């Protein structure tokens, strides 16, 4: 009987956590002109405490591209939040309709968040995988003065000027057995960072 009660309690807590995440995570489809549709998560503690919090940007891979924003909940921070993960920062999870991520469109959403919420502009982080890894590196290279750090998994870069990447901490992860995106795509980025003479970050 105690086990049944414990399982019931866990189930109730999971449902409550999911409902709480859904309450604080809102879909935006036409909010930012010339931007992407996106999910925006507001921490529960943000309600009136006046604290400036970090902003986390998640860029999905090619499999989630499209025009159905619900797809972005399949993996990443929005999925984690709905599973009960507590993240004490703002979260932006845009959806790319297809093609390469556009850093300028992402930045328009960031500026919207800064205007409407207590975003700590010195703690803006971006990460993504595969196509999102490309987007992360392109975003960090384009806006090294705005992004505090980035993490790119199995990605690469499409922008030509990668010199800005040496100005911020970067974590670049890529498996040598990757068949979708060759590890050489990340190697090229790492070599470009080293070429600036500063790879300490």
């Amino acid at each position: 009987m105690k086990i049944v009660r414990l399982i019931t309690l866990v189930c109730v807590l999971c449902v409550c956590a999911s409902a709480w995440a859904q309450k604080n995570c809102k879909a935006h489809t036409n909010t930012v002109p010339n931007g992407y549709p996106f999910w925006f998560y507001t921490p529960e503690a943000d309600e009136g405490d006046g604290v400036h919090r970090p902003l986390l940007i998640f860029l999905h891979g090619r499999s989630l591209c499209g025009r159905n924003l619900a797809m972005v909940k399949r993996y990443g921070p929005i999925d984690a939040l709905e599973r009960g993960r507590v993240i004490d920062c703002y979260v932006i999870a845009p959806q790319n309709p297809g093609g390469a991520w556009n850093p300028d469109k992402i930045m328009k959403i960031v500026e919207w968040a800064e205007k409407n919420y207590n975003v700590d502009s010195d703690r803006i982080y971006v990460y993504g995988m595969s196509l999102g890894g490309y987007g992360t590196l392109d975003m960090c290279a384009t806006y090294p003065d705005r992004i505090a750090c980035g993490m790119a998994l199995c990605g690469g870069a499409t922008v030509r000027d990668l010199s800005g990447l040496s100005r911020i901490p970067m974590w670049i992860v890529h498996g040598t057995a990757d068949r979708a995106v060759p590890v050489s795509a990340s190697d090229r980025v790492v070599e470009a960072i080293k070429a600036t003479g500063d790879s300490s970050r």
Side-chain angles (χ1 to χ4, degrees):
M1 182 64 76
K2 289 183 178 179
I3 294 177
V4 173
R5 289 177 180 174
L6 179 60
I7 293 173
T8 302
L9 176 61
V10 170
C11 290
V12 169
L13 290 174
C14 288
V15 169
C16 290
S18 178
W20 170 73
Q22 290 176 8
K23 171 190 169 187
N24 290 277
C25 188
K26 296 181 180 178
H28 295 265
T29 54
N30 296 301
T31 303
V32 179
N34 300 315
Y36 293 110
F38 61 97
W39 289 100
F40 188 79
Y41 169 75
T42 307
E44 185 176 30
D46 181 64
E47 297 179 2
D49 68 358
V51 175
H52 283 73
R53 288 181 168 80
L55 173 64
L56 178 65
I57 305 164
F58 170 68
L59 304 179
H60 64 72
R62 189 177 304 279
S63 66
L64 303 189
C65 286
R67 300 189 183 279
N68 178 3
L69 197 52
M71 293 171 62
V72 181
K73 300 166 75 173
R74 288 184 183 172
Y75 61 78
I78 306 303
D79 173 60
L81 286 163
E82 292 201 339
R83 291 173 182 269
R85 176 73 65 181
V86 176
I87 304 177
D88 190 25
C89 68
Y90 300 104
V91 177
I92 290 174
Q95 184 178 36
N96 183 340
W101 283 99
N102 184 319
D104 294 334
K105 287 188 174 184
I106 300 169
M107 185 52 66
K108 288 182 186 299
I109 303 173
V110 171
E111 291 170 347
W112 169 86
E114 290 175 317
K115 180 179 179 181
N116 292 283
Y117 295 89
N118 290 326
V119 172
D120 185 343
S121 297
D122 292 326
R123 292 189 293 169
I124 298 175
Y125 311 108
V126 56
Y127 79 105
M129 59 174 289
S130 194
L131 180 66
Y134 274 86
T136 295
L137 291 167
D138 287 351
M139 184 72 178
C140 292
T142 304
Y143 294 102
D145 295 327
R146 300 296 315 278
I147 305 300
C149 74
M151 182 176 71
L153 288 80
C154 55
T158 62
V159 298
R160 292 185 178 182
D161 185 4
L162 300 175
S163 60
L165 293 177
S166 64
R167 294 161 52 189
I168 59 176
M170 294 295 308
W171 189 12
I172 300 173
V173 182
H174 208 133
T176 56
D178 193 330
R179 295 182 179 179
V181 181
V183 69
S184 58
S186 286
D187 288 340
R188 183 180 75 85
V189 174
V190 172
E191 290 305 314
I193 294 173
K194 291 179 177 179
T196 65
D198 181 8
S199 59
S200 60
R201 295 181 181 160

